[in-house]
Amino acid sequence: MKLTHLILALVLSLVIVNLAGLNATLYSLRGERIAPVTVPDDAMLPSVVNSSAASRSGYNLPESLPRGMYIIAAQSPWEELIGHTRGYPIFLDMTQQYLPNEQHRYGAPVIADFDGDGYDDIFLTLRYESADFICQPQLWMGQPSGIYVDETANRLPALNAPSWTAFPLDLEADEDIDIFILTDERVPACFMLINDGSGHFTIGPDALFPAGMPLECCVVDIDQDGYPDFVLVDQIAYSETGYSVWKNNAGQGFIKDNSGRIPNDQLTMYGHFRIYAHDYNSDGFPELFLCHWPGYPYGPLSGQDIMLLNDGNGYFTIPPINPLPIEDDTASSFYYFVDTDGDKDDDILRVDLNLDQSPNLTLLIREADSYIASPNLLLGGGYIHNGLVIKDFDLDGDMDLYVPCVQLGETAADWYFSNVGNNSFTLKPQALPDIVDFTVACAPIDHPTNDRPDIFVVNSGASGGEVGLNRLYINDRSSAADDPLAPEISLSAYPNPFRGSTLLKLNGTASARFPLDIYNLRGQKVNTLFPQASDATASAVSWNGRTADGKQLSSGIYFVKIRNCSSGTVARLLLLR
């Protein structure tokens, strides 16, 4: 018997005493049930724990358990959910393991690799109502271990920047991510933070960013010169707003463009809010999508959303037919452009602010030259959604949704929608941790401990948005490299070198559970394959030397890696043309 199988048999044979009323179970990272356990009264389940640290923290784990990472969860309904056939992921609250234990009233997150080490970092603004509180932004740097270290004091200048919104941009087109902070009315100017390339920031001089107090901002290269420009929503007077364009002068600063790029005189009837850029007609020149509130700022105005057509030179007009649905009384808050049905045309997931119990999530399907509201409605009103995270969380080719939820001044449980195809979304409440919070923002994050999209939740846990603990939700289909009970699986390829196609074969118990990721020499993933079992201990899949979207790859060396497995995980392939 192999060593890992022997260890598993010994663990399964353990008898734990004092099990009365126990409702916790120990699992491997692959979801295999190991044994019942006792947990501290304040334990947050489910969670991923290190066996050594867990024992020191009051978890009663089997004495002969090999050191490594394990899942501890309630036996029901987790038992049926953790299996690899469930069709959707389970997200684990890994806040305590990876994030700084700091509670503030946070505002906007910017997730990016600021220091170029290949790991996502986290920039956060603060937003306190009190004028006495200094709203110093925060910077948490990602480490290879997955832990985020607070480097605010070492990498950010001292500044007071109360803000709900911050924008990443490459100001100087030097491939370093800079940050533009849109402050509120307490600070008479915005801030541009300049990255020196190593993740250390300085405050740019006033000439680098727009003057005045913009209400909202869109970062877009208006004139296609390679430098990001700004389109701003300005407060012109107490009850009047308008749009302005600020051109990036080759990284030397922003200059207001008064050449009439936006038809402000035709937009006075609309209530202004957010603005987005998207290439609607696929001509390489982005259009502008204007989100309008009927009562914003002081109404009553029209809440109809408008698309402005780009003439190819960065001048915008209202098209003869507006492709967006006629909904004058809708208060649109967020637009997300994403292909939800796989037809190569980007649809729109729109987040609204309707306080009349009508739906606040709308899917607009792109059909020819118009967007049509999908009949497959998402859940109804009563909640405020502060953004979305849209990712293929289960890697089935369809985009899924994480939806933060709050009520007016009250906390609420968030939602996870699984995209089951044909633009139909199914609510899976079991997918998220059982946490009721006040989420003010969210963002996707690439945590180094797994190969799937994860979620960063801002200001979560606060009551009414006062102060809160940010949270990190890890997609549980994570790497099992630290799993001491992982099965031994070998990988072979024949023929290798190959011209037309090669057969990738896995041998080992439960080998068909593990997808194969193929990378080029630069470390870029080019395809993912899903082997089919041929018997109880083997599976195989053929690869034709193409990318996931069918493009033929050039001759060269490629690597194939077994995902979520700790042994025999990588093979080198030589493709010949």
Side-chain angles (χ1 to χ4, degrees):
M1 182 182 293
K2 293 183 178 180
L3 178 61
T4 53
H5 295 169
L6 178 61
I7 293 173
L8 180 58
L10 290 173
V11 172
L12 289 172
S13 67
L14 291 172
V15 177
I16 306 299
V17 298
N18 192 27
L19 299 182
L22 196 64
N23 192 29
T25 305
L26 183 71
Y27 299 89
S28 73
L29 288 182
R30 300 177 315 282
E32 297 169 344
R33 187 178 187 276
I34 297 175
V37 295
T38 57
V39 300
D41 292 339
D42 59 351
M44 181 71 71
L45 300 181
S47 63
V48 174
V49 299
N50 182 288
S51 57
S52 300
S55 297
R56 294 194 300 268
S57 301
Y59 291 81
N60 185 7
L61 305 185
E63 293 183 1
S64 60
L65 189 71
R67 292 184 178 182
M69 303 299 291
Y70 297 88
I71 297 172
I72 296 180
Q75 184 171 349
S76 179
W78 182 267
E79 188 91 16
E80 65 178 80
L81 298 179
I82 196 171
H84 288 265
T85 60
R86 65 174 177 260
Y88 59 92
I90 294 290
F91 292 90
L92 304 173
D93 181 14
M94 299 295 288
T95 302
Q96 295 181 357
Q97 289 88 340
Y98 294 119
L99 296 186
N101 185 19
E102 302 176 12
Q103 296 195 39
H104 287 289
R105 186 168 185 179
Y106 292 101
V110 175
I111 310 296
D113 180 11
F114 294 116
D115 56 359
D117 64 354
Y119 301 102
D120 274 352
D121 309 305
I122 303 172
F123 174 88
L124 290 157
T125 63
L126 300 188
R127 180 63 171 78
Y128 283 86
E129 299 294 340
S130 172
D132 298 329
F133 193 94
I134 302 299
C135 294
Q136 169 66 44
Q138 309 285 297
L139 183 59
W140 301 347
M141 304 302 292
Q143 310 298 313
S145 64
I147 295 174
Y148 293 88
V149 177
D150 188 348
E151 288 280 330
T152 301
N154 300 324
R155 294 177 179 268
L156 289 185
L159 72 160
N160 183 22
S163 173
W164 288 120
T165 313
F167 298 88
L169 72 159
D170 185 1
L171 172 69
E172 302 161 311
D174 58 0
E175 299 186 356
D176 299 329
I177 304 300
D178 310 301
I179 301 172
F180 178 61
I181 304 177
L182 200 64
T183 55
D184 69 12
E185 65 278 0
R186 288 174 291 168
V187 178
C190 300
F191 292 100
M192 182 72 73
L193 299 184
I194 307 300
N195 189 348
D196 68 354
S198 67
H200 293 79
F201 292 84
T202 55
I203 302 176
D206 292 348
L208 282 183
F209 49 87
M213 280 302 302
L215 299 175
E216 289 291 337
C217 174
C218 175
V219 180
V220 56
D221 188 358
I222 287 287
D223 52 1
Q224 304 292 290
D225 65 350
Y227 291 91
D229 309 305
F230 284 149
V231 180
L232 303 180
V233 180
D234 300 310
Q235 181 168 314
I236 300 172
Y238 182 75
S239 60
E240 182 182 359
T241 58
Y243 298 97
S244 63
V245 173
W246 291 74
K247 290 285 301 303
N248 187 335
N249 183 25
Q252 303 302 307
F254 290 89
I255 302 172
K256 189 172 184 178
D257 188 331
N258 294 310
S259 61
R261 291 183 178 270
I262 296 181
N264 273 304
D265 56 341
Q266 301 178 48
L267 299 171
T268 57
M269 70 180 69
Y270 301 101
H272 301 76
F273 195 46
R274 290 191 172 95
I275 183 169
Y276 297 91
H278 179 70
D279 187 3
Y280 166 78
N281 51 16
S282 301
D283 63 354
F285 303 101
E287 276 65 50
L288 297 179
F289 288 74
L290 312 182
C291 285
H292 293 143
W293 276 22
Y296 189 87
Y298 302 102
L301 297 168
S302 173
Q304 173 65 45
D305 294 345
I306 297 292
M307 186 196 78
L308 299 183
L309 192 63
N310 191 335
D311 69 351
N313 297 303
Y315 288 85
F316 298 88
T317 58
I318 298 177
I321 299 177
N322 181 22
L324 298 171
I326 298 176
E327 295 176 292
D328 287 341
D329 57 350
T330 298
S332 299
S333 296
F334 299 95
Y335 266 37
Y336 295 88
F337 298 91
V338 59
D339 182 8
T340 61
D341 52 10
D343 64 355
K344 307 303 182 183
D345 287 328
D346 280 342
D347 311 300
I348 297 174
L349 273 161
R350 191 185 69 200
V351 181
D352 303 322
L353 183 61
N354 301 324
L355 305 179
D356 58 358
Q357 302 301 309
S358 59
N360 282 328
L361 293 175
T362 303
L363 175 58
L364 303 177
I365 303 299
R366 176 73 180 269
E367 294 185 0
D369 295 328
S370 299
Y371 292 95
I372 308 298
S374 170
N376 298 323
L377 296 178
L378 301 171
L379 285 182
Y383 291 98
I384 298 172
H385 309 302
N386 291 316
L388 302 175
V389 176
I390 306 172
K391 288 288 183 178
D392 183 7
F393 289 112
D394 52 13
L395 301 184
D396 65 353
D398 296 318
M399 291 297 181
D400 311 297
L401 303 180
Y402 164 76
V403 184
C405 300
V406 298
Q407 293 179 322
L408 289 178
E410 298 179 3
T411 59
D414 298 334
W415 294 337
Y416 174 82
F417 286 99
S418 178
N419 189 337
V420 296
N422 196 30
N423 280 322
S424 294
F425 293 84
T426 301
L427 180 65
K428 300 290 185 181
Q430 308 97 324
L432 294 176
D434 187 15
I435 296 175
V436 176
D437 55 23
F438 197 95
T439 303
V440 299
C442 57
I445 192 167
D446 184 10
H447 196 262
T449 59
N450 69 5
D451 297 322
R452 294 187 174 224
D454 307 301
I455 303 170
F456 181 68
V457 183
V458 179
N459 207 27
S460 183
S463 177
E466 295 173 0
V467 296
L469 183 67
N470 292 335
R471 295 192 182 275
L472 180 64
Y473 293 159
I474 297 295
N475 192 327
D476 86 313
R477 301 289 182 87
S478 59
S479 171
D482 295 324
D483 186 349
L485 303 179
E488 294 183 3
I489 297 179
S490 64
L491 171 65
S492 62
Y494 183 81
N496 188 23
F498 71 101
R499 293 185 183 275
S501 63
T502 183
L503 183 67
L504 305 175
K505 188 174 182 179
L506 294 82
N507 287 284
T509 304
S511 60
R513 293 182 178 180
F514 301 98
L516 300 178
D517 294 320
I518 299 177
Y519 297 85
N520 60 23
L521 278 175
R522 292 186 293 176
Q524 298 169 319
K525 186 186 296 186
V526 296
N527 207 335
T528 295
L529 307 175
F530 297 90
Q532 298 295 316
S534 54
D535 56 46
T537 60
S539 60
V541 63
S542 178
W543 182 50
N544 58 4
R546 294 178 179 269
T547 64
D549 57 0
K551 295 180 180 178
Q552 182 173 284
L553 291 167
S554 59
S555 299
I557 295 175
Y558 296 87
F559 296 93
V560 56
K561 178 181 178 183
I562 307 176
R563 189 189 304 165
N564 300 350
C565 181
S566 61
S567 60
T569 58
V570 179
R572 187 173 71 169
L573 307 176
L574 178 57
L575 172 61
L576 303 176
R577 294 295 185 189

